[in-house]
């Protein structure tokens, strides 16, 4: 598997070099620097030279590189690198050159723990934080054998994500349903692609070892209530087509696909579509899902862009909110790309402020609060300087970002969250919905 | 004097960084010692050689501070090789630590011991390893399991003698899922490096254990178990069904590598279950595959390459998901290219309108490489879906009317292929002929000339057009020259009255003034054919014969290779679409391998620029020195890859070999989606065939160029093998073209 993990800064200096196998030699660092970092033509994340393969990921201002020698599992290598980034972020909030330089001892320690002989081991942040910490405190804990045997139990146990002795005075669980709407709309207003990437983030502050059951208005979940579970898993695909439209009308949602945190019992979900799990303590991502049918688009944008000769571009952008008047979106930002040779711009808006940002080649139109059903317009004009050689403007798409509370584009709702625990305590649950812009682009 | 100098060189330096570090390491204060160890590790990372501090660092090994212990161990792992004797001093601590009451320390000791690759250490490892394999803490057991693999790597006979393998095999039945996963990992590694040990044998019992552990162990453990399951051949249908049923819930895992591994297992075992059930699983695996497309770009890339493979085997699993593969503006190019290929693969008559609109959009972007691929994709769709051909042609005409130079050129090449399949679109020829002045690439020019020759009877000014090309005949690339030759002959056969003079001129130019044997050969053939007065029709039926129809221009892998690659899903092999032995070298290369590598590199170059290479090869007949030098340079280049850094570091890294080592093997495998501009169909085909990698998409090339193309490639091959061996052309090689010449002539 992995022969070594290397971290570089943008200049190509080797910040971390950890070999896990004898075939990862120091010289490889130079080879990667020459072949990838100082080579502007590299366009692939994977490079094989002879028997050595470098797989790299760029994050902030560092390169994370995995060296492999055999026909390694490429998906695993990249997933691992991204997990390393995630770990780095949760340890140092920002995982960049600065953080690596300041914490290199800790990083070596982490690498030692999460990889053994090049095989990934436990990479759960919460577990690792129990015995690898930024402060020196951990030595105290880890040195007493009873504590550390507890830690190792958790690091390898079936519930590797949860300690057994958690106690809260007040038992609470917060559920956030966060949806990223992706839209690709053509210049004429046809929707080319619209889908929702949702995630359900849970913050659980529950005592003991609680067993949770979670219900959504997913069409398949609702379906199972009338058909038996066994027949469902076999022939489910065939019968579902007919019920689609009626179900959608009845307020259920078709989830194209879902993925769960490892605490969810996948076998159970597969058999009878019940999401049941023992949650880790604190915040975690319970599930991710994808929906493509009946996506409610919160905003409609109508851009008109006219290039007048070679010296001027005229914009007229209208944006309309498509949700109930009771709700309002915040931080609505519309980025309107301008040609690279824009000299100056003039903008008029019916709401919010627009500003030209030369370094981004954008006109940025910000509307801090956008109430439902409202419609605003921006008129702008960009004057261009003449260039010595005319290069075509690629016309990047307009992009939109926003966040909208208590609205889900897919129409997903949490129907119930039940907590069962030996102690039989009552718990308080909170649910919050939010829709954000994923890549919301209009050509 | 000399003695003094030598002594001076060996003396411990009195100042400088090493001196300061040493002072810190032996300080009486614990915190100073720890700080110095940290600094030492820092220096080590920066590539400085701090092995001289070995004894001093070693003194700090016996400490209660876990963090410090880890640092010392890290240092030990790195420099143990340079001080094998001194390592013995650490053994005692290791053995002691492996019996520590703290499981973290026990695990750390056994983990580190395995990483110290010194023969002497091995003797002391046996006992601690045996103990830790039976440790009460699962954390220690799972670490010890991996350590067996380390020991096997170091000294396999010792590992076998002590029965560690049997112990590992027993551990598959361990109650702890992580121990199971790591035992499987270790066994599978041993099994793959030394198949004769038969380390990992899946029995019904172990299968049950693994399936149990699958739901409980870490995501990485799942990948291991799944990969093992994928390699396992089920005993009967029942077992296959069982495996599929237990594995398919993993499609829902958040980790993309688990999903891909699960897809692999189900896909491979699906063959044995009933068709109905298999269909259900295919349906089930589609949504997770689509979800992979929204992951991080690098993961996405791996996923897309794998989806490409799956689609070649099961073309319609994703046919409703076209929109998912639409390119985003800021997708990295490697992802975009791959998405294009997949979109063409899943195109059908229902989604083709949508796809064409999208492709047209891409063709108007600015990234030249991407635009060309988009235009090419339109052509592929036209040939794939007959009902859409008209729309495709119209789209291409729209694009030609934009008058963007590279779009026009690519469009013409694509239209040539469309004419091969649907000869009925002659109405657009006038539009094409208008662009004649804009074409500067040999491939595009050749394509247009082929079209003119093919429709010579319908183009009233065909003679004038070709006349223009004949005037500049000797300035053209050989590829274009061949097409001019053929087109003029076709014109002559179709309308003899118009082209009498033209034919004379072009044959004259091609035989008397041209250096390229291929062009000359073809001209001679035509000459002979035309001067054959006994049977006029014979000539016609040869030159104007019906061409074999094109089925598709979408490249696909030969079935045997595809089968092979499906076994390798989610590995590098599936990303490169090549079997592993083609890119996983063995480190050091023998003479044969170096030569092979050089040939491959040349072929790689040739594929990127078939014309130049072909020309070079052809020229080599007359001007060997240039070619030879070229090759020698290439060989130097290759050495440079691994050799230059190697020599720079030679002193530091001690016993390492200069050239050989790790990066020594010069074959550079490029990610397929990222290659240089799309290779010309005809040239690349022949070269590919030669390599036997990509199989043939033969029908896509005009038959006339087939024979000579492969000839050229063959010459190439000969040329290289000759050159690489000796560094100068062998006489046999330079004779070759002439000989074939004679052969052909004597035929008539």
């Amino acid at each position: 598997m992995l022969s070594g993990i290397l971290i570089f800064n943008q200049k190509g200096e080797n910040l971390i070099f950890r070999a896990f196998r004898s075939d990862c030699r120091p010289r490889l660092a130079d080879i990667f620097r020459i072949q990838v970092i100082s080579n502007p033509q590299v366009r692939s994340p994977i490079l094989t030279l002879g028997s050595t393969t470098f797989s790299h990921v760029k994050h902030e201002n560092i390169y994370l590189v995995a060296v492999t020698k055999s026909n390694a599992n490429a998906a695993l290598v990249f997933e691992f690198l991204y997990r390393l980034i995630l770990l780095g972020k949760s340890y140092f909030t920002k995982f960049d050159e600065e953080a690596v330089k300041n914490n290199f001892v800790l990083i070596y320690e982490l690498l030692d723990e999460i990889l053994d002989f090049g095989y990934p081991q436990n990479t759960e942040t919460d577990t690792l934080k129990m015995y690898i910490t930024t402060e020196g405190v951990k030595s105290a804990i880890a040195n007493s054998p009873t504590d550390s045997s507890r830690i190792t139990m958790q690091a390898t146990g079936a519930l590797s994500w949860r300690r057994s002795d958690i106690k809260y005075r007040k038992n609470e669980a917060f559920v956030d349903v966060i949806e990223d709407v992706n839209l690709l709309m053509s210049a004429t207003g046809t929707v080319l692609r619209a889908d929702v990437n949702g995630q359900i983030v849970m913050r659980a502050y529950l005592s003991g070892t609680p067993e949770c059951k979670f219900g959504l208005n997913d069409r398949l979940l609702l379906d199972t209530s009338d058909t038996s579970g066994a027949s469902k898993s076999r022939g489910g695909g065939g019968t579902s087509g007919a019920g689609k439209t009626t179900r959608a009308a009845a307020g259920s949602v078709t989830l194209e696909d879902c993925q769960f945190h490892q605490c969810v019992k996948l076998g159970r979900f597969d058999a009878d579509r019940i999401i049941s799990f023992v949650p880790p303590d604190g915040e975690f991502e319970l599930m991710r899902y994808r929906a493509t049918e009946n996506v409610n688009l919160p905003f409609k944008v109508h851009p008109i862009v006219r290039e007048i000769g070679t010296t001027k571009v005229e914009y007229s952008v209208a944006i309309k909110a498509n949700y109930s008047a009771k709700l309002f979106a915040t931080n609505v930002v519309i980025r309107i790309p301008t040609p690279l040779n824009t000299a100056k711009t003039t903008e008029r808006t019916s709401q919010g402020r627009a500003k030209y940002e030369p370094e981004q080649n954008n006109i940025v139109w910000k509307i801090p609060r956008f109430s439902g059903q409202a419609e605003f317009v921006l008129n702008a004009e960009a004057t261009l300087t003449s260039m010595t050689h005319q290069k075509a403007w690629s016309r990047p798409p307009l992009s939109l970002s926003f966040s909208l509370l208590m609205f889900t584009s897919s129409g997903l709702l949490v129907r119930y969250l039940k907590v069962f625990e030996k102690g039989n305590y009552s718990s308080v649950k909170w649910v919050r919905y939010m829709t954000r812009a994923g890549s919301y682009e209009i050509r | 004097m000399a003695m003094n100098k030598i002594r001076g060189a060996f003396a411990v330096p009195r100042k400088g960084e090493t001196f300061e570090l040493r002072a810190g390491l032996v300080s009486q204060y614990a915190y100073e010692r720890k700080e110095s160890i940290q600094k030492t590790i820092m220096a080590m990372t920066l590539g400085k050689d701090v092995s001289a501090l070995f004894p001093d660092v070693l003194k700090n090994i016996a400490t209660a501070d876990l963090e410090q212990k880890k640092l010392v161990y890290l240092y030990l792992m790195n420099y143990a090789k340079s001080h094998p004797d001194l390592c013995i001093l650490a053994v005692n601590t290791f053995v002691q630590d492996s019996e520590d009451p703290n499981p973290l320390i026990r695990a750390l000791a056994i983990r580190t011991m395995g990483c110290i690759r010194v023969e002497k250490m091995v003797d002391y490892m046996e006992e601690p390893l045996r103990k830790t394999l039976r440790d009460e803490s699962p954390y220690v057991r799972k670490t010890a399991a991996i350590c067996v693999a380390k020991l096997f790597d170091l000294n396999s006979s010792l590992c076998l003698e002590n029965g560690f393998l049997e112990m590992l095999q027993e551990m598959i039945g361990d109650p702890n899922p992580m121990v199971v996963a790591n035992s499987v990992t270790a066994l599978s590694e041993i099994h793959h490096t030394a198949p004769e040990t038969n380390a990992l044998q899946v029995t019904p019992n172990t299968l049950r254990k693994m399936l149990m552990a699958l739901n409980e162990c870490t995501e990485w453990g799942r990948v291991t178990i799944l990969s093992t399951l994928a390699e396992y051949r089920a005993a009967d249908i029942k077992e296959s069904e069982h495996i599929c049923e237990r594995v398919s819930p993993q499609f829902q895992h958040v980790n993309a590598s688990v999903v891909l591994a699960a897809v692999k297992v189900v896909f491979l075992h699906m063959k044995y279950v009933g068709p109905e059930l298999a269909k259900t699983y295919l349906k089930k695996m589609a949504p997770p595959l689509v979800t992979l497309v929204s992951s991080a770009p690098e993961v996405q890339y791996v996923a897309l390459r794998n989806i490409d493979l799956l689609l070649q085997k099961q073309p319609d699993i994703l046919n409703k998901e076209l929109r998912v593969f639409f390119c985003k503006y800021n997708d990295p190019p490697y992802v975009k290219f791959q998405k294009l290929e997949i979109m063409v693969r899943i195109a059908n008559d229902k989604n083709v309108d949508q796809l064409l609109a999208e492709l047209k959009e891409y063709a108007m972007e600015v990234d030249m490489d991407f635009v060309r691929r988009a235009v090419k994709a339109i052509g592929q769709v036209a040939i794939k879906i007959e009902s859409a051909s008209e729309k495709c042609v119209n789209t291409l005409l729209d694009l030609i009317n934009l008058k963007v130079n590279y779009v026009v050129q690519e469009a013409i090449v694509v239209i040539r292929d469309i004419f091969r399949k649907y000869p009925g679109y002659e109405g657009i020829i006038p539009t094409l002929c208008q662009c004649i002045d804009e074409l500067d690439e040999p491939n595009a020019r050749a394509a247009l000339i082929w079209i003119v020759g093919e429709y010579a009877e319908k183009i009233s000014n065909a003679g004038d057009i070709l006349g223009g090309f004949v005037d500049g005949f000797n300035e053209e690339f050989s590829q274009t020259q061949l097409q001019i030759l053929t087109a003029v002959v076709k014109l002559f056969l179709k309308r003899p009255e118009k082209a009498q003079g033209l034919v004379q001129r072009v044959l004259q130019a091609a035989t008397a003034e041209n250096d390229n044997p291929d062009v000359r050969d073809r001209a001679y053939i035509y000459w002979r054919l035309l001067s054959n007065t006994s049977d006029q029709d014979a000539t016609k039926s040869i030159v104007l014969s019906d061409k074999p129809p094109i089925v598709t221009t979408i490249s696909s892998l030969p079935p045997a290779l595809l089968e092979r690659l499906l076994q390798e899903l989610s590995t590098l092999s599936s990303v490169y679409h090549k079997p592993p032995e083609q890119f996983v070298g063995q480190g050091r290369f023998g003479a044969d391998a170096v030569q092979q590598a050089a040939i491959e590199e040349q072929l790689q170059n040739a594929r990127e620029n078939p014309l130049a290479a072909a020309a070079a090869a052809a020229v080599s007949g007359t001007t060997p020195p240039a070619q030879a030098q070229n090759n020698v340079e290439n060989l130097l280049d290759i050495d440079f890859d691994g050799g230059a850094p190697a020599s720079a570091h030679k002193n530091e890294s001690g016993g390492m070999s200069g050239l050989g080592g790790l990066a020594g093997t010069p074959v550079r495998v490029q990610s397929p989606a990222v290659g240089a501009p799309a290779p010309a169909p005809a040239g690349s085909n022949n070269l590919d065939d030669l390599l036997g990698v990509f199989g043939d998409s033969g029908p896509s090339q005009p038959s006339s160029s087939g024979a000579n193309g492969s000839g050229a490639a063959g010459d190439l091959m000969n040329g290289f093998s000759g050159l690489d061996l000796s560094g100068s052309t062998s006489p046999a090689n330079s004779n070759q073209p002439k000989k074939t010449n004679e052969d052909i002539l004597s035929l008539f």
Side-chain angles (χ1 to χ4, degrees), chain B residues 190-201:
Chain B
I190 294 170
H191 191 92
H192 283 125
T193 45
E196 70 277 4
T197 56
N198 234 338
L200 185 57
Q201 269 178 322

Side-chain angles (χ1 to χ4, degrees), chain B residues 342-378:
Chain B
I342 290 179
M343 281 195 277
V344 174
R345 255 184 228 293
I346 55 183
N348 55 27
D349 45 358
K350 290 195 192 81
N351 57 23
V352 69
D353 290 344
Q354 218 175 20
L355 177 60
L356 276 182
E358 192 67 15
L359 289 176
K360 193 177 169 189
E361 195 78 35
Y362 299 157
M364 294 192 283
E365 283 190 17
V366 280
D367 178 0
M368 196 153 87
D369 209 5
F370 183 55
V371 168
R372 281 173 178 278
R373 282 165 196 257
V375 174
K376 206 170 149 207
I378 298 178

Side-chain angles (χ1 to χ4, degrees), chain A residues 1 14-18 21-23 25-28 30-31 34-35 39 43-53 56-58 68-76 78-80 82-83 104-105 108-109 112-113 116-117 119-124 131-132 136 138-139 142-145 148-149 151-153 155-158 184 191-194 197 233-235 237-238 256-260 262 266-267 269-270 285 288 290 392-394 396-397 439 441 443, chain B residues 38 41-42 45-46 64-67 70-71 74 77 101-104 108 111 117 137-139 142-143 146 149-150 153 176 178 182 185 189 216-220 222-223 245 248-250 252-257 260 277 280 284 287-288 290-291 294 296-299 301-302 321 323-324 326-329 333-334 358 361-362 366-367 369 568 570-573 575-576 580 583-585 587 641-642 645-646 649 656-658 662-663 665 667-669 671 674:
Chain A
M1 274 314 286
N14 193 189
L15 304 176
I16 295 280
F17 183 98
R18 176 71 164 95
R21 301 198 162 207
S22 54
D23 51 13
R25 309 253 168 84
R27 205 200 300 157
L28 289 179
D30 298 318
I31 294 173
I34 295 162
Q35 297 288 348
N39 182 355
R43 292 176 111 187
S44 160
I46 306 179
L47 173 73
T48 299
L49 290 165
S51 58
T52 310
T53 302
H56 76 271
V57 163
K58 237 191 130 185
T68 50
K69 283 283 183 175
S70 54
N71 182 23
N73 186 330
L76 180 127
F78 284 120
E79 276 290 327
F80 178 79
Y82 274 100
R83 184 58 51 88
F104 78 98
V105 172
Y108 274 123
E109 215 175 315
D112 193 39
E113 192 58 43
D116 191 6
F117 204 38
Y119 291 105
Q121 303 291 312
N122 194 339
T123 49
E124 284 302 310
Y131 58 106
I132 298 177
K138 67 101 219 296
S139 313
N143 279 346
S144 85
S148 48
S149 53
I151 291 173
T152 55
M153 278 317 281
T156 54
L184 190 59
V191 176
L192 295 174
R193 177 183 171 194
N197 282 331
S233 61
R234 289 281 153 105
E256 213 54 32
D257 183 30
C258 18
Q259 299 169 308
F260 297 100
Q262 59 165 323
L266 293 178
F269 177 77
D270 192 59
E285 187 188 76
R288 269 189 239 162
R290 207 156 47 77
W393 177 36
S394 67
S439 88
E441 296 185 335
R443 280 184 180 150
Chain B
Q38 290 190 357
I41 302 283
M42 176 101 88
T45 307
L46 293 175
D65 183 347
L66 193 57
E67 194 175 350
K70 282 184 182 169
L71 289 174
L74 181 66
M77 282 186 258
N102 185 338
L104 282 176
L108 181 66
R111 189 165 62 208
R117 305 178 57 83
S137 162
Y139 184 78
K142 70 130 187 158
T143 315
I146 295 279
K150 294 179 190 168
D153 190 34
N176 185 289
M178 257 189 100
N182 273 4
T185 308
E189 155 127 7
E216 289 172 354
C217 65
T218 63
E219 47 210 317
W220 315 113
R222 292 183 201 208
V223 177
E245 191 187 319
S248 62
Q250 304 298 331
Q252 253 70 47
H253 202 281
V254 76
N255 185 318
S257 55
L260 268 178
L277 198 56
T280 332
K284 246 187 177 173
V290 170
T291 306
S294 53
E298 290 85 2
V299 183
Y301 176 58
V302 176
E321 309 284 358
R323 283 157 183 257
V324 188
F326 283 0
C327 300
K328 296 205 185 97
Y329 180 73
Y334 52 89
E358 192 67 15
E361 195 78 35
Y362 299 157
V366 280
D367 178 0
D369 209 5
E568 302 284 348
S570 111
T571 62
L572 283 175
S573 177
V575 175
Y576 288 130
F583 63 90
V584 178
D641 260 5
H649 271 246
M656 233 173 271
S657 69
L662 29 142
T665 55
V667 196
R668 173 188 263 257
V669 186
S671 278
V674 193

